[in-house]
Amino acid sequence: PTPFPGRRLAQQVLDRFDAATQAVAVGVLVAGMQHEEIAGALGISRRTVHRKLARFLAGARRLLEGEGP
């Protein structure tokens, strides 16, 4: 398959976060999973899913705007 143009950038952003945060971000943003589904799959609370996603989105925004993590 042909990689999409932003693949490298997406990987660089994901690499800045721990594995659980990566799983939450990909689960919600790519796979379209519900917070409850991800919580069950990862064995964490929905609140933790929400917090990890919020941290990921804020950090990704800063990285993409060139401000660092």
Side-chain angles (χ1 to χ4, degrees):
T2 304
F4 67 93
R7 180 180 169 87
R8 179 180 283 179
L9 178 59
Q11 190 61 56
Q12 288 173 341
V13 171
L14 283 169
D15 286 346
R16 300 286 182 125
F17 297 90
D18 63 89
T21 301
Q22 290 177 17
V24 167
V26 171
V28 171
L29 302 173
V30 177
M33 294 173 72
Q34 298 295 316
H35 291 200
E36 295 81 13
E37 292 177 277
I38 295 170
L42 297 178
I44 59 178
S45 70
R46 288 186 319 222
R47 183 174 180 211
T48 298
V49 169
H50 178 77
R51 286 194 321 253
K52 286 187 175 295
L53 182 60
R55 282 189 205 126
F56 175 82
L57 292 172
R61 190 173 297 113
R62 286 192 302 273
L63 286 167
L64 294 171
E65 290 173 353
E67 299 175 16

